Amino acid sequence: MSQIYLAGPFFSEEQIDRVSRIEKALEENKTVTSFYSPRHHQESNYELFSAGWAQEVYEKDMEELTLEKFEEASELVKDVTTETKLVYSEYFSARTGNKVFFKPENMQYTGAYKVRGAYYKIHTLTEEEKSKGLITASAGNHAQGVAYAAKLAGVKATVVMPTTTPLMKVNRTKSYGADVVLEGDVFDEACDHAYKLADEFGYTFVHPFDDLDVATGQGTIAMEIIKELPTVDYILVPIGGGGLCTG
């Protein structure tokens, strides 16, 4: 029986439905794939969850994603972000028959929006947690976002990157003051090592997307879009891990 990570900071209704169908298939003695969530690996002790447990986690997560937190995060990230006004696209507007705008987050200092989530995450930590430092695993934008946010907040940061990470990205992350550890050939191996270091030294692990505080920080993008363009009908979001879309 194989395992598949649920790629998202919380369980969606669709995912919960999939778990329900899995349980039904098990009752019928069919071969199915099992699931677990990396963010809840500690509390679930790597045990497979039921649809009821997934529903409970989903409802709990939704309660934590409040408008008040998004408003708080929106004010905080102003200290570390560049204002990225919407850019009207004549080409895409003509092609789609709509008014299409782009949010140029590539203009942020680190080249991506990731600093938003990292900085807000740091804000939620206790002074004791900050004093112990942060750790994350990434080979790209998240690494630089955490490193830069930690530097501005005066917090120590360690970034575990795969040994295959381009030297330019390694040096850029180091330039923000982070300690870089090269471990593993792929991200999963680097991530596993980061978790081990977090347990050993008491660091706070800042997950690239599987963290509600990080997702809240990323969600400040939507707050800015709505304030600048109150009549917006749809916000199209690219999805990797799901942190940006969640926020």
Side-chain angles (χ1 to χ4, degrees):
M1 183 178 288
S2 61
Q3 291 185 327
I4 298 177
Y5 287 84
L6 289 177
F10 62 82
F11 299 117
S12 68
E13 293 181 356
E14 178 184 0
Q15 289 168 334
I16 293 172
D17 177 65
R18 290 170 68 185
V19 175
S20 297
R21 287 186 278 114
I22 288 170
E23 289 185 324
K24 183 178 180 180
L26 283 172
E27 292 175 358
E28 298 173 355
N29 295 318
K30 294 181 179 179
T31 301
V32 298
T33 303
S34 60
F35 297 79
Y36 73 97
S37 167
R39 187 163 65 83
H40 298 281
H41 71 283
Q42 290 181 326
E43 62 188 69
S44 65
N45 195 28
Y46 289 101
E47 294 178 357
L48 302 180
F49 60 76
S50 65
W53 182 80
Q55 179 68 44
E56 182 181 343
V57 172
Y58 171 73
E59 293 176 353
K60 179 181 178 181
D61 287 350
M62 290 304 292
E63 289 177 359
E64 294 183 23
L65 291 169
T66 65
L67 177 60
E68 289 73 20
K69 288 187 177 180
F70 284 115
E71 291 175 337
E72 176 188 48
S74 293
E75 290 302 314
L76 285 170
V77 300
K78 289 180 180 179
D79 296 335
V80 296
T81 56
T82 300
E83 186 178 20
T84 53
K85 290 288 188 179
L86 296 177
V87 177
Y88 179 73
S89 172
E90 293 186 4
Y91 175 78
F92 281 99
S93 294
R95 287 292 301 270
T96 62
N98 295 287
K99 293 182 179 179
V100 179
F101 299 79
F102 287 98
K103 179 75 167 167
E105 283 295 292
N106 59 305
M107 300 304 293
Q108 296 298 345
Y109 184 68
T110 58
Y113 66 88
K114 297 284 189 173
V115 66
R116 295 173 179 267
Y119 193 72
Y120 182 66
K121 175 66 177 181
I122 294 173
H123 169 76
T124 67
L125 302 180
T126 65
E127 291 303 316
E128 180 180 358
E129 289 172 326
K130 291 178 183 178
S131 67
K132 292 181 179 180
L134 311 174
I135 191 167
T136 192
S138 172
N141 294 327
H142 180 67
Q144 296 174 50
V146 170
Y148 183 56
K151 177 182 178 181
L152 296 179
V155 178
K156 175 186 176 182
T158 300
V159 179
V160 182
M161 311 178 89
T163 56
T164 54
T165 304
L167 183 60
M168 179 180 68
K169 291 186 177 181
V170 174
N171 290 337
R172 187 71 182 273
T173 302
K174 286 182 177 180
S175 73
Y176 297 133
D179 294 330
V180 174
V181 177
L182 299 178
E183 181 71 29
D185 295 328
V186 295
F187 171 77
D188 286 349
E189 293 175 357
C191 189
D192 286 343
H193 187 66
Y195 272 121
K196 291 177 182 177
L197 292 178
D199 291 338
E200 182 178 354
F201 297 103
Y203 301 145
T204 295
F205 187 88
V206 183
H207 199 282
F209 55 85
D210 218 6
D211 184 302
L212 292 179
D213 293 324
V214 171
T216 299
Q218 320 299 32
T220 58
I221 292 177
M223 296 289 287
E224 293 173 7
I225 292 174
I226 293 171
K227 286 182 179 180
E228 185 178 354
L229 189 66
T231 58
V232 61
D233 294 308
Y234 299 98
I235 299 178
L236 304 182
V237 185
I239 297 179
L244 175 59
C245 185
T246 298

